[in-house]
Amino acid sequence: MSKKILVFVESKDGKLRNVSFEALTVAKQLADGGEVIAAIFGTGATEFIQDISQYGPDKVYVLEDEALSIYTTDAYVQALGQLIEEVKAEIILLGHTAIGKDLAPRVAARLGAGLISDCTGVNLENGEIVFTRPIYAGKAFQKKVFNQGKVFATLRPNNFEIQGNLVVAEVVPFQPVIKDLRTIVKEIVRKTTSGVDLSEAKVIISGGRGVKSKEGFKPLQELADVLGGAVGASRGACDAEFCDYSLQIGQTGKVVTPDLYIACGISGAIQHLAGMSNSKVIVAINKDPEAPIFQVADYGIVGDLFEVVPLLTEEFKKVLVPC
Ligand code: FAD
């Protein structure tokens, strides 16, 4: 059952996204003697070929069109659709990122293909590819098998092991025909300028309404800095204007799967759990011993976050920061 698998490789701020390496590793495992094709878009795309080659694709298609230098739905949908038809890919993998979520369903609909979104597992079982995805805000998991036609799948970041597999991939330039663009991006102004990307962070320190103010987030940021992590928030904290909505985690915010998630002053509403319950280790700090967050936590600390968080920062500093 050898397959032709295309991986849409995504870059952000001049760096390839980790989820693309996860997708290449998954593609390599599924190909079963078939072909793995990586596709990279945008001016300067050739710079990434060496990095991509470390994850074992047979071919790297490079689409260096000026119209692809900044993501627009119009241009990328046309280019990816044409590339898939050219290479006759049967399985198309993308990250479940803002771009992947926008692009995959549109191209799939144009090509009359299926789509399985937000996969947390992809396995070969008895010769069939089984995709696993969470449903009902993460309360249950659904397994899906596709047995005819093309299929698109978006992979949730931080859920798949990355394995290097250095090859000399064949590099193929591809020129798509891009026309009738309705959107031109003139400038990108970022709200958050620095720090670790929340959706790919290995450690997240998240604050809720219990943080009480903007200033209340400072000790959380200090802990995040010591652990090399990012700060997140509940919607309660965002609604109270303690922080920006770009930090919101949950059903209507970002979905994250870090190695360590520390929830500070967050009650654990189902909508919040939908965004973080797949984290590998969850620590909850809450002064209410009955808070629902303790039901999903691996470790619970009943106490005042303003006492507990600085203590944790001090202890981690002793262990992690060389004197
Ligand atoms: P609260 O529920 O008010 O909890 C605050 C917690 O802080 C309490 O448990 C309290 O004991 C504790 N606390 C207070 N002071 C301290 C202290 N000093 N030390 C330690 N602990 C302390 N929510 C999300 O988070 N993400 C979403 O994406 C999201 N989407 C939603 C979509 C819909 C359609 C709806 C209806 C709701 C959504 N919500 C979402 C909101 C969600 O239902 C909750 O209202 C929200 O998560 C509560 O935020 P919170 O836990 O910070 O606040």
Side-chain angles (χ1 to χ4, degrees):
M1 194 230 42
S2 62
K3 293 275 181 201
K4 202 175 245 196
I5 305 179
L6 186 140
V7 175
F8 171 78
V9 176
E10 208 180 306
S11 69
K12 189 178 176 193
D13 300 332
K15 272 177 69 185
L16 294 176
R17 298 197 68 149
N18 274 342
V19 68
S20 298
F21 301 142
E22 294 179 61
L24 283 165
T25 308
V26 169
K28 216 51 205 159
Q29 287 158 2
L30 299 181
D32 200 19
E35 195 174 39
V36 174
I37 298 165
I40 178 87
F41 290 23
T43 47
T46 42
E47 287 168 25
F48 296 120
I49 292 169
Q50 213 179 345
D51 284 352
I52 296 171
S53 299
Q54 293 184 29
Y55 300 92
D58 300 288
K59 290 182 182 165
V60 182
Y61 274 74
V62 181
L63 289 75
E64 279 214 296
D65 198 292
E66 184 66 34
L68 301 172
S69 58
I70 295 179
Y71 180 81
T72 63
T73 307
D74 275 355
Y76 271 59
V77 165
Q78 293 181 42
L80 184 60
Q82 289 168 28
L83 178 64
I84 291 167
E85 289 192 318
E86 166 78 15
V87 301
K88 303 194 171 36
E90 295 156 284
I91 299 171
I92 300 97
L93 301 178
L94 303 89
H96 194 69
T97 59
I99 288 180
K101 283 187 264 186
D102 185 56
L103 189 56
R106 289 170 198 268
V107 185
R110 280 191 174 204
L111 300 179
L115 165 69
I116 303 173
S117 68
D118 199 14
C119 298
T120 53
V122 184
N123 298 95
L124 265 178
E125 289 176 20
N126 304 323
E128 283 185 319
I129 300 176
V130 181
F131 297 88
T132 306
R133 62 187 298 271
I135 52 170
Y136 304 126
K139 277 190 165 172
F141 288 89
Q142 183 182 46
K143 288 193 167 191
K144 288 203 157 202
V145 173
F146 241 79
N147 37 32
Q148 67 181 69
K150 284 187 208 312
V151 61
F152 283 66
T154 61
L155 309 186
R156 186 182 282 196
N158 276 343
N159 268 272
F160 302 87
E161 201 186 326
I162 297 175
Q163 279 169 16
N165 188 350
L166 185 63
V167 290
V168 181
E170 183 187 342
V171 178
V172 188
F174 181 76
Q175 183 56 59
V177 179
I178 299 173
K179 55 185 182 190
D180 303 329
L181 293 183
R182 293 167 298 178
T183 318
I184 295 169
V185 180
K186 292 191 170 168
E187 191 189 1
I188 296 177
V189 181
R190 295 204 189 280
K191 253 185 174 173
T192 44
T193 49
S194 61
V196 181
D197 180 355
L198 194 54
S199 53
E200 292 195 339
K202 296 277 179 215
V203 176
I204 295 178
I205 318 297
S206 217
R209 213 174 267 142
V211 168
K212 294 191 173 67
S213 66
K214 259 186 195 168
E215 290 66 41
F217 266 88
K218 275 191 189 146
L220 275 60
Q221 184 65 59
E222 280 164 22
L223 180 55
D225 290 345
V226 170
L227 294 176
V231 169
S234 71
R235 179 155 141 189
C238 300
D239 285 346
E241 299 184 359
F242 301 162
C243 59
D244 193 86
Y245 278 102
S246 60
L247 301 190
Q248 185 185 319
I249 290 166
Q251 190 180 323
T252 44
K254 291 195 168 75
V255 175
V256 296
T257 21
D259 293 341
L260 175 63
Y261 188 90
I262 305 184
C264 311
I266 294 178
S267 58
I270 182 72
Q271 296 90 352
H272 186 76
L273 302 186
M276 45 63 74
S277 60
N278 268 13
S279 305
K280 293 188 184 76
V281 175
I282 299 173
V283 178
I285 305 169
N286 198 303
K287 62 182 188 185
D288 174 7
E290 302 297 325
I293 190 79
F294 287 125
Q295 286 167 22
V296 296
D298 299 285
Y299 300 94
I301 303 174
V302 179
D304 187 329
L305 71 94
F306 296 106
E307 289 169 18
V308 176
V309 172
L311 282 175
L312 286 176
T313 307
E314 282 316 305
E315 288 304 311
F316 280 123
K317 263 189 196 163
K318 282 185 206 160
V319 182
L320 298 174
V321 181
C323 302

